[in-house]
């Protein structure tokens, strides 16, 4: 089955950002095209596939919110300029939310009498 989960696209995004190897964008584009081809629902939206080995695939009657909030976000970031999200300034949570990095504050060492 395939539920439109973000983890593979998230991995491709980070691999692209850290290596700049075009292969990761190529894989991402192929994945996006196949999701569009096999998961798009005629009435609108996208549905997961219950059995990826079944031809033609049977789509689930559900579009999870992570498809819009995470998977598509990572596709966007994969194909965007690095300035769209500066990884030196932000970190992404496990749910794909960007949080600004705060300056590291080192605790002061108190001297004991």
């Amino acid at each position: 089955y395939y539920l439109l989960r973000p983890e593979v696209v998230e991995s491709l995004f980070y691999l692209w950002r850290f290596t700049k190897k075009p292969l990761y964008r190529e894989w991402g584009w192929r994945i996006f095209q196949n999701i569009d081809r096999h998961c798009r629902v005629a009435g609108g939206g996208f549905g997961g596939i219950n059995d990826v080995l079944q031809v033609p695939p049977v789509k689930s009657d559900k579009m999870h919110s992570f498809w819009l909030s995470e998977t598509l976000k990572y596709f966007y970031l994969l194909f965007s300029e690095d300035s769209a999200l500066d990884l030196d300034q932000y970190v992404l949570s496990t749910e794909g939310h960007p949080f600004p990095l705060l300056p590291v504050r080192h605790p002061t060492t108190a001297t004991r009498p």
Side-chain angles (χ1 to χ4, degrees):
Y1 61 90
Y2 176 66
L3 302 176
L4 305 170
R5 298 280 313 160
E7 288 81 6
V8 171
V9 184
E10 177 185 11
S11 298
L12 293 174
F13 161 66
Y14 284 116
L15 288 165
W16 159 253
R17 276 294 187 92
F18 297 134
T19 69
K20 297 298 185 198
K21 291 183 179 178
L23 176 67
Y24 300 118
R25 278 185 164 173
E26 292 167 15
W27 286 351
W29 181 239
R30 286 174 46 197
I31 290 168
F32 183 81
Q33 288 176 311
N34 279 294
I35 289 172
D36 188 49
R37 182 177 303 119
H38 299 292
C39 298
R40 181 182 290 273
V41 176
F46 290 80
I49 294 177
N50 297 325
D51 182 353
V52 297
L53 300 177
Q54 184 176 346
V55 178
V58 176
K59 297 175 194 94
S60 67
D61 189 23
K62 180 187 273 188
M63 184 173 76
H64 293 280
S65 62
F66 53 74
W67 163 247
L68 297 171
S69 65
E70 294 179 69
T71 310
L72 289 178
K73 183 185 308 178
Y74 285 113
F75 273 123
Y76 172 79
L77 292 171
L78 176 62
F79 297 109
S80 294
E81 297 296 323
D82 290 359
S83 60
L85 182 72
D86 184 348
L87 293 179
D88 290 327
Q89 300 291 323
Y90 292 90
V91 64
L92 292 165
S93 72
T94 57
E95 299 299 316
H97 303 300
F99 287 97
L101 291 172
L102 301 175
V104 176
R105 297 188 349 171
H106 299 287
T108 58
T109 307
T111 57
R112 294 187 177 186

